[in-house]
Amino acid sequence: MKERAMFATKMGVIAVTAGSAVGLGNIWKFPYETGVHGGGAFLLIYVACVLLVGVPVMLAEFIIGRSTHKNARSAMQILAPKRKGFTALSYMGISASIMILSFYSVVAGWIVEYLFQSLIGSMSGHTVAEYSDMFIAFTSSPWRSLLWTFLFLLMNYLILRKGIQKGIERISNFMMPILFILLIIFCINSLLLPNAMEGVKFLFNPDFSKVTPKMVVGAMGQAFFSLSLGLTGLLTYASYFSDKTPLVKSATIIAILDTFVAIMAGIIIFPAVFSFGLEPAAGPKLVFEILPNIFQQMPGGYFWSAAFFILLFFASITSTISMSEISITFFTEEYKMTRNKATAINTIIAIVFGSLCALSFNVLKDVKFLDLTIFDMFEYVSSNILLPLGGLGFALFVGWYIDKRIIHEQLTNFGERKITLLRPIIICIRYIAPVCIVLIFLYGLGYLDFIL
Ligand code: PHE
């Protein structure tokens, strides 16, 4: 049998896992979801979901992957051979990963277009209204949307096919800290804008009258999406962890880092929204309308916008690599396909569905199910339904069906690490995370309306 690869260093583990987690989910989706759902209360519920549901589910995925060093389906078969039903989670994960890859590539395509526009210098010198028109003109052109989506998927394909993740890993090890520094600079810049405090209040002052079932479901979905959970992505990555990797510590660092980046994105976007007199509930276009205005009023705007979109491009591609790796590992290990073939299949499916998502902003904009366009539908169903369902499955599987000894061994690295909160962590995996997910689903379906 071929030796399975392993991440060598602790830093490598954090870098790849954080590379998967930090992406458009933090910088594009988090601000727009917060805007749509009315600000502070969404942030608070989101953080609660990260702590009570996200971290326990991440540990559950880590335990399954690291204890077996196998892909999701084989791993679950090894851990609980009599519970074959759970292997369905790996198929659900693959479906979710393909849905996400499809709409994510459309947004990443917008990033590539904005990067291109920044480089050729056409990003500066416009009015607030012109930047909004620019986004609309771009997304309503079918060929432009398709072109950039394809281009992004092609780059994703080439990186995956060449198996040069190592190279990309090295680049992102170096890009991610720069992204971090840039975000801090942008935060300071936004906080100095006129009227900035309005935006800060919007983000941090919870207004509980805005809490709705839709918002709570959205906050949970966002926690899953942003932490790359519930679709076997982190399970697959954990199968490459060494036995020395500290699982609890890694999960904590990743959750903190990811949440921190999302909050920074909020601090950049909302003060600017209020300062430029724009609408916080603008939806997916929010960040694309706001950012050019921010660059525009900074000295050296050309440099800032090019640098920001390049970094965002890297943040996106480290995430799409991780979602593509789910089906590629599965196809190669379970169906003995070559890596090239598995990568090609993954890309072709993403091109087909990605095109439908790109076209849902123009020629297919009237094709709607339950009032959602194809793009919205893919985003909603994957983040808010499939990922939490997957997470529920993993928490129940680890909490109730695998040997308790394995949980202890994995969390303490065979007794080598003392985990002070071991019992509370296990209680979160067994009870709290599953109960929260079920309650939020019931609330979302309107069964718990009497609570709020
Ligand atoms: N977490 C990634 C982001 O925030 C998106 C992602 C979802 C990546 C699911 C992999 C799997 O951008």
Side-chain angles (χ1 to χ4, degrees):
M1 220 185 101
K2 214 171 79 197
E3 266 291 299
R4 235 165 162 270
M6 239 177 230
F7 296 134
T9 61
K10 269 189 229 155
M11 201 34 221
V13 166
I14 301 285
V16 286
T17 324
S20 164
V22 174
L24 296 174
N26 311 63
I27 293 166
W28 161 72
K29 197 160 154 35
F30 174 79
Y32 109 62
E33 293 273 356
T34 308
V36 167
H37 294 297
F42 180 86
L43 172 62
L44 208 69
I45 298 174
Y46 170 73
V47 172
C49 288
V50 168
L51 286 176
L52 297 176
V53 181
V55 175
V57 169
M58 194 186 296
L59 286 170
E61 288 202 34
F62 280 178
I63 291 170
I64 303 173
R66 211 261 298 262
S67 64
T68 54
H69 297 295
K70 286 276 182 309
N71 71 69
R73 190 172 78 166
S74 306
M76 282 186 280
Q77 257 164 3
I78 294 173
L79 289 173
K82 294 209 192 81
R83 303 276 167 186
K84 287 223 165 35
F86 277 100
T87 53
L89 290 175
S90 63
Y91 297 103
M92 203 166 84
I94 291 174
S95 320
S97 73
I98 289 181
M99 284 175 98
I100 295 177
L101 181 61
S102 307
F103 77 79
Y104 204 95
S105 303
V106 174
V107 184
W110 299 344
I111 302 280
V112 187
E113 153 97 13
Y114 272 60
L115 171 60
F116 173 71
Q117 299 291 349
S118 304
L119 291 175
I120 61 170
S122 62
M123 217 45 175
S124 51
H126 300 283
T127 62
V128 175
E130 278 169 353
Y131 284 122
S132 301
D133 292 345
M134 205 165 146
F135 180 81
I136 294 169
F138 165 52
T139 46
S140 51
S141 151
W143 72 264
R144 277 170 83 187
S145 308
L146 287 176
L147 176 76
W148 295 110
T149 307
F150 289 171
L151 208 69
F152 180 81
L153 280 169
L154 180 71
M155 291 188 269
N156 187 56
Y157 169 77
L158 291 175
I159 292 171
L160 283 163
R161 192 188 131 106
K162 284 237 153 67
I164 53 166
Q165 281 107 314
K166 284 230 177 62
I168 248 264
E169 216 178 290
R170 226 167 287 145
I171 299 174
S172 49
N173 272 349
F174 145 88
M175 290 275 188
M176 286 297 128
I178 306 183
L179 177 65
F180 220 70
I181 296 170
L182 216 63
L183 289 175
I184 295 175
I185 298 175
F186 286 146
C187 281
I188 298 171
N189 175 69
S190 281
L191 290 172
L192 295 175
L193 288 171
N195 218 9
M197 277 307 131
E198 279 295 301
V200 175
K201 266 195 235 142
F202 179 83
L203 180 62
F204 291 110
N205 258 4
D207 171 358
F208 290 104
S209 66
K210 300 229 171 90
V211 177
T212 60
K214 233 176 144 183
M215 170 221 246
V216 180
V217 172
M220 175 168 73
Q222 174 62 18
F224 275 95
F225 184 84
S226 191
L227 295 171
S228 313
L229 291 176
L231 74 175
T232 78
L234 294 192
L235 189 162
T236 309
Y237 269 7
S239 70
Y240 299 108
F241 288 1
S242 87
D243 285 338
K244 292 218 165 59
T245 303
L247 299 189
V248 178
K249 193 169 158 196
S250 306
T252 315
I253 295 178
I254 292 152
I256 292 176
L257 209 72
D258 190 73
T259 308
F260 207 64
V261 175
I263 293 178
M264 283 204 282
I267 298 177
I268 295 169
I269 299 297
F270 292 111
V273 169
F274 287 90
S275 187
F276 301 126
L278 288 160
E279 183 46 53
K285 65 176 191 241
L286 177 73
V287 173
F288 289 89
E289 279 182 349
I290 303 294
L291 284 174
N293 284 299
I294 297 182
F295 303 136
Q296 157 94 343
Q297 55 75 45
M298 288 170 88
Y302 175 87
F303 164 78
W304 295 116
S305 76
F308 189 76
F309 286 118
I310 288 181
L311 294 168
L312 207 50
F313 167 74
F314 274 97
S316 318
I317 209 143
T318 49
S319 297
T320 50
I321 285 175
S322 79
M323 52 189 106
S324 310
E325 202 58 68
I326 298 172
S327 39
I328 296 174
T329 306
F330 187 81
F331 291 150
T332 49
E333 292 192 0
E334 295 289 302
Y335 294 109
K336 308 282 173 267
M337 254 181 219
T338 61
R339 184 172 177 91
N340 284 355
K341 191 165 169 198
T343 312
I345 293 180
N346 176 68
T347 306
I348 291 168
I349 301 175
I351 286 183
V352 173
F353 290 118
S355 304
L356 294 177
C357 291
L359 295 176
S360 72
F361 287 88
N362 35 71
V363 283
L364 299 179
K365 71 173 183 298
D366 295 321
V367 178
K368 289 191 178 175
F369 310 93
L370 302 170
D371 218 25
L372 297 173
T373 63
I374 301 172
F375 178 98
D376 296 337
M377 188 77 173
F378 270 44
E379 193 190 345
Y380 191 89
V381 171
S382 57
S383 313
N384 294 356
I385 301 174
L386 296 181
L387 302 188
L389 270 183
L392 176 64
F394 295 128
L396 292 177
F397 183 74
V398 169
W400 298 89
Y401 295 110
I402 74 173
D403 192 342
K404 301 285 152 311
R405 215 192 53 227
I406 296 179
I407 306 180
H408 279 262
E409 281 172 5
Q410 289 301 319
L411 294 180
T412 63
N413 289 5
F414 294 88
E416 266 179 28
R417 284 186 162 262
K418 254 201 99 45
I419 308 289
T420 8
L421 295 175
L422 191 61
R423 271 195 68 77
I425 291 173
I426 296 177
I427 292 175
C428 279
I429 299 178
R430 255 174 98 91
Y431 301 100
I432 301 194
V435 168
C436 287
I437 299 173
V438 171
L439 285 180
I440 293 176
F441 272 138
L442 291 176
Y443 183 49
L445 290 170
Y447 290 121
L448 302 174
D449 276 354
F450 51 89
I451 299 180
L452 284 164

